[in-house]
Amino acid sequence: NMKKIKLTNYGYSLIDDEDFDKISKYKWYAVKNKSGKIYAKRTVGGFGMHRVILKDRVGFEIDHINGNSLDNRKSNLRIATKSQNQANTNKRVNNSSGYKGVSWNKVAKKWHVQIIKDRQFAFRAYFKNKEDAARIYIIKAKELFGEFAK
């Protein structure tokens, strides 16, 4: 079963019943990161709720499987590398194509698909048609990231 933890400045976060004692002894607030996702942070110490629940793993990130960063139930959290965690994100707010991973290249005058994995270009290609570019992005992202691809 789950419980709701009230955030001091915005809404609430979901947690498992078993984590209630550990989480409820702190005050939590909502903070927005650069990509616009809202996370629950501890007012003292600044730790993210997801890190307190999964006991911080040095060198790894914690991914919210369903994309809801205020859903901190264990069934929605998984340990991930930075690349895996970034693969499980939505398209950027300033996206011009309407498709994740697809942008217009003014110089080439074509739609550009680019996927980065482990801080290196894992795939780059240009297309005349943005729908073709989007289809290729989906195929390549699944090949490169498996269950983390979004």
Side-chain angles (χ1 to χ4, degrees), residues 7-127:
L7 305 178
T8 59
N9 60 339
Y10 172 87
Y12 59 88
S13 183
L14 299 176
I15 61 168
D16 294 312
D17 284 349
E18 66 198 53
D19 293 318
F20 185 76
D21 289 342
K22 175 175 30 176
I23 296 301
S24 64
K25 63 184 172 184
Y26 303 107
K27 283 194 183 286
W28 298 91
Y29 70 100
V31 63
K32 192 182 281 194
N33 73 4
K34 287 182 238 169
S35 64
K37 280 202 167 205
I38 298 171
Y39 290 91
K41 287 259 193 178
R42 212 164 78 186
T43 55
V44 177
F47 295 106
M49 188 180 290
H50 53 291
R51 291 200 168 274
V52 173
I53 288 170
L54 281 194
K55 299 186 183 61
D56 193 9
R57 306 290 204 295
V58 175
F60 288 91
E61 295 188 4
I62 297 171
D63 180 46
H64 292 82
I65 298 166
N66 69 9
N68 179 354
S69 48
L70 292 176
D71 182 350
N72 288 301
R73 294 173 294 164
K74 286 188 184 89
S75 62
N76 189 44
L77 301 175
R78 62 184 167 192
I79 302 300
T81 64
K82 185 174 181 75
S83 283
Q84 289 170 328
N85 199 9
Q86 288 178 331
N88 186 29
T89 59
N90 294 321
K91 66 181 168 64
R92 296 173 72 106
V93 179
N94 62 352
N95 180 296
S96 61
S97 71
Y99 297 105
K100 182 179 178 186
V102 178
S103 61
W104 180 251
N105 184 294
K106 291 176 190 172
V107 176
K109 293 186 170 63
K110 291 183 180 176
W111 294 98
H112 182 223
V113 175
Q114 160 178 304
I115 300 176
I116 295 171
K117 182 177 182 183
D118 301 325
R119 293 191 228 156
Q120 296 179 352
F121 289 109
F123 179 77
R124 294 174 90 179
Y126 293 92
F127 298 86

